[in-house]
Each structure stands twice: as C-alpha cells, then as structure tokens.
Amino acid sequence: MKKLVLPLVLFILSGCYYDSEEALFGKPGTGACDTSVTKFSTQVKPILSSYCLTCHSNANAAGSGAGIKLENYADVKIYVDNGKLVGSIEHTSSFPMPKGGGTLSVCDISIINAWITKGALND
Ligand code: HEC
C-alpha cells in the first residue's frame, strides 16, 4: 500500500506544477501569449487598465498614484522613455508595480516589452 503513495504524490505535484506553468506562459502551441500584435489601444492599455489605473488613472493619480498618470498615451510614453515603466513591472526598480499586488503575468510583461521594442507607438 505504501508503495502507491509516493508516485501518487509526485503525480499530483507535477500536475500542479504544469498547471501553474500554463497559467504563467500560456498553453504551449495555442498562441495564448501572442506578442506579434502589440498595439497600445488593444493590448497595452487594457493591461494598464486592469492592473494600474486604480491608482494611476487621471482621476486617481493625485490621491493614490503619487501623481503618476498612466491613462493616456502621452503620459504612459513619459514612463516608457525614462525606463520607469519597464523597471516597475519587471521589479528591477525601487518601486515594484502593481504596488502591493504581486507581478504582472510573464505574458503581459512580454506584450508591453514587445510594444516598446517596436517603438512604443500610439497605435
Ligand atoms: C495601489 C496603487 C498602485 C497601483 C495598483 C499601481 N501603482 Fe504604480 N505607483 C503607486 C505609487 C503610490 C507610486 C509612488 C512610489 C511608491 O510609493 O511606491 C507609484 C509609482 C509608479 C511608477 C514610478 C516609479 C519610479 O521609479 O519612479 C511607475 C512607472 C508606476 N507606478 C507604474 C505602475 C504600473 C505599470 C502599474 C500597473 C502594473 C502600477 N504602477 C500600479 C501606486 C500604484
């Protein structure tokens, strides 16, 4: 009976590991993390809206976002150009974002980086 327990535990653990990998990187081969199209309006802005605008919207920035606005393209571009946007989401700057809310998914970070690499256009 005992012999059954270890393989079972390993099976369950590996199952969990695989699930979390899928959640982070998207299902292999399904195109879940597609960085080929990375427009500001349809890819980047929705990520910022979901995770950042509670504090960095035009309306909330003064109260909870340290005056930093990430709602309009022109404001976002300021933080792209000074490197603080990438530093904040990759947690390489002194101010890891989203503040108090963990980390963006690997896929969301890839999308923002791909958009910046292509010139951070207002598209
Ligand atoms: C809970 C509120 C809150 C959320 C959510 C939030 N921020 Fe911030 N953010 C702040 C505050 C407050 C500061 C000022 C620095 C500090 O106190 O940490 C800041 C600072 C920043 C800075 C400037 C960092 C620097 O180096 O000067 C950037 C860029 C930034 N946030 C981007 C983001 C992005 C991108 C998201 C979403 C992924 C996000 N923030 C989510 C509150 C928030």
Side-chain angles (χ1 to χ4, degrees):
M1 201 50 194
K2 251 187 184 169
K3 275 185 184 160
L4 269 174
V5 175
L6 185 63
L8 193 67
V9 167
L10 285 176
F11 177 74
I12 292 166
L13 284 178
S14 66
C16 290
Y17 177 73
Y18 188 66
D19 283 349
S20 62
E21 195 176 39
E22 270 188 9
L24 282 171
F25 301 112
K27 274 194 175 149
T30 60
C33 186
D34 186 357
T35 57
S36 61
V37 180
T38 54
K39 290 184 186 297
F40 179 73
S41 56
T42 52
Q43 271 77 33
V44 175
K45 202 173 162 57
I47 297 171
L48 299 178
S49 297
S50 301
Y51 300 102
C52 317
L53 294 192
T54 43
C55 300
H56 294 296
S57 71
N58 292 339
N60 299 345
S64 46
I68 294 161
K69 295 175 184 170
L70 296 174
E71 188 166 340
N72 300 333
Y73 170 78
D75 291 317
V76 174
K77 189 69 167 41
I78 295 169
Y79 295 95
V80 169
D81 291 344
N82 67 18
K84 289 183 174 176
L85 182 72
V86 170
S88 72
I89 59 173
E90 290 190 341
H91 289 197
T92 51
S93 80
S94 328
F95 302 110
M97 296 288 145
K99 192 175 173 72
T103 317
L104 293 182
S105 72
V106 171
C107 185
D108 285 348
I109 294 173
S110 303
I111 287 170
I112 292 174
N113 275 324
W115 171 70
I116 292 172
T117 303
K118 289 181 217 161
L121 304 174
N122 186 9
D123 50 7

